[in-house]
Amino acid sequence: MQESRLFKIVYHLLDKGQATAPELAEKFEVSVRTIYRDIDALSGAGIPIYAEAGRNGGIHLMNDFVLDKAVLSEEEKQEILTALQSINFTKNISSSQTLQKLSAIFNLSSENWLEVDFSRWGNKGTDNEKFELLKSAVIHQKCVKITYSNSYGTISKRIVQPLKMSYKSMSWYLKAYCTEKQDYRIFKLTRIIDLEVLADGFRKSSFPELDESPGQTYNTIILGFPQNMAYRVYDEFDKTRVSRRENGDLIVSVDMPEDEWLIGYLLSFGTQVDIIEPEYLKEIVAEQAKKIYEKYKS
């Protein structure tokens, strides 16, 4: 148990730069005295760890300290190389050189069996560039001005504080704090028409979990689809959520957030979806469809 905690202390310091004894004691659920014993044990084992007193003091590692490669298992080394392979698509980072160096350090050959390309068909490069800009903004905590098209097709300009990139259901999303709405929002990357990384920085906060998101309600939605929509149903819903009737029609039962995105999503199926439950959702979708009709009728 102590050996595991010692490694975790080193990992924590490598990640955060420094920590106080009370912080480490709280994190690892031991006493401050135990933390100081751990520090002595690490120092005795040759780890360049030291403590500084004073207002800005704390427990540190020497700046040039790195863990010996033997700390990583063979499986962990291969996982690191695989992760690098998966992001080896951008032109403005030298991940291929990093991959080569780590392969040599780990004494492992890197089989390039995986390729990830964020761009849509017929859109080579643009989506990858968008992803890279947003990733940099998240890492460096820079505000981003975006031009965004929501699920209703309304285009707006917003300034957001990007917090996290998220991949879900075959799509990339940006989790951010919207300064206009004064609230947390999720933006689909393919709907970000244009973006500009601003010089303004921000203090990073944690994006709330789904069950903590303000105004977010998840209910069971039951939908029916004709069998000719099977290609899209199995693309977008887990097979465990899909059942098939005797006539071949498909029934989907899934928990989804009841918000404006859901209405736009259901409308994207046109007449090829039957809202079975909840009953009131039919009226909401019908009202929105009526508004669309009134807007575009000649």
Side-chain angles (χ1 to χ4, degrees):
M1 180 67 181
Q2 183 193 22
E3 182 180 352
S4 173
R5 188 174 64 251
L6 293 179
F7 276 118
K8 289 178 180 178
I9 290 173
V10 174
Y11 294 147
H12 182 79
L13 293 175
L14 283 170
D15 181 41
K16 303 298 182 183
Q18 71 171 34
T20 64
E23 286 173 359
L24 293 174
E26 182 179 359
K27 179 176 178 61
F28 298 110
E29 299 180 345
V30 295
S31 67
V32 172
R33 181 177 296 180
T34 297
I35 290 296
Y36 280 120
R37 284 201 297 264
D38 289 342
I39 300 306
D40 288 339
L42 287 168
S43 180
I47 303 296
I49 189 170
Y50 65 97
E52 282 186 338
R55 182 178 179 182
N56 297 318
I59 298 169
H60 307 256
L61 290 168
M62 294 294 288
N63 290 336
D64 58 352
F65 172 72
V66 293
L67 282 174
D68 188 89
K69 63 181 181 180
V71 173
L72 298 172
S73 68
E74 294 302 309
E75 182 178 358
E76 289 169 332
K77 295 173 187 176
Q78 193 62 61
E79 286 178 355
I80 291 172
L81 295 178
T82 298
L84 278 174
Q85 288 173 355
S86 71
I87 62 168
N88 191 23
F89 65 90
T90 55
K91 296 180 180 178
N92 56 344
I93 62 171
S94 56
S95 60
S96 58
Q97 295 180 19
T98 307
L99 189 64
Q100 185 177 12
K101 291 176 182 178
L102 281 179
S103 296
I105 292 173
F106 293 163
N107 195 25
L108 288 175
S109 62
S110 175
E111 299 296 336
N112 193 12
W113 62 274
L114 179 65
E115 179 181 355
V116 177
D117 188 347
F118 296 151
S119 64
R120 289 162 286 184
W121 293 107
N123 189 31
K124 187 66 175 177
T126 304
D127 288 333
N128 287 343
E129 181 182 0
K130 183 191 302 180
F131 182 93
E132 183 64 22
L133 286 171
L134 290 172
K135 182 187 76 172
S136 177
V138 171
I139 293 173
H140 298 291
Q141 298 177 31
K142 295 295 184 182
C143 293
V144 178
K145 183 178 181 180
I146 64 172
T147 303
Y148 189 72
S149 175
N150 66 17
S151 55
Y152 296 134
T154 302
I155 296 176
S156 61
K157 293 184 182 294
R158 312 184 188 198
I159 294 178
V160 302
Q161 298 172 355
L163 302 175
K164 184 182 293 186
M165 306 289 286
S166 174
Y167 183 80
K168 186 174 181 62
S169 186
M170 301 179 292
S171 295
W172 279 99
Y173 297 87
L174 173 68
K175 293 184 174 181
Y177 182 82
C178 179
T179 59
E180 177 187 343
K181 302 294 185 181
Q182 294 288 292
D183 203 354
Y184 295 93
R185 291 289 188 268
I186 299 177
F187 303 95
K188 193 172 184 179
L189 258 63
T190 52
R191 294 179 185 162
I192 297 178
I193 301 171
D194 196 13
L195 68 90
E196 177 188 357
V197 179
L198 305 177
D200 299 335
F202 64 93
R203 180 173 293 181
K204 192 170 185 179
S205 59
S206 298
F207 193 90
E209 297 297 328
L210 290 177
D211 57 355
E212 298 175 354
S213 298
Q216 195 78 291
T217 302
Y218 280 72
N219 286 325
T220 300
I221 312 296
I222 301 178
L223 307 171
F225 297 92
Q227 56 183 329
N228 66 340
M229 290 295 290
Y231 74 95
R232 187 169 172 186
V233 169
Y234 287 111
D235 264 354
E236 302 183 23
F237 300 100
D238 189 274
K239 66 178 182 180
T240 60
R241 296 289 187 171
V242 182
S243 60
R244 188 181 289 268
R245 288 176 171 170
E246 290 184 5
N247 65 354
D249 288 352
L250 301 166
I251 304 298
V252 174
S253 177
V254 62
D255 294 334
M256 302 182 80
E258 292 193 19
D259 54 17
E260 63 179 30
W261 173 87
L262 176 62
I263 307 305
Y265 178 71
L266 294 175
L267 286 169
S268 73
F269 288 98
T271 60
Q272 298 297 304
V273 61
D274 178 23
I275 301 172
I276 300 174
E277 291 183 15
E279 190 72 24
Y280 63 82
L281 194 56
K282 296 181 181 180
E283 298 179 11
I284 298 174
V285 173
E287 183 62 28
Q288 187 62 34
K290 182 179 178 181
K291 290 180 181 179
I292 295 173
Y293 170 75
E294 292 295 332
K295 180 177 181 178
Y296 292 109
K297 72 176 181 179
S298 56

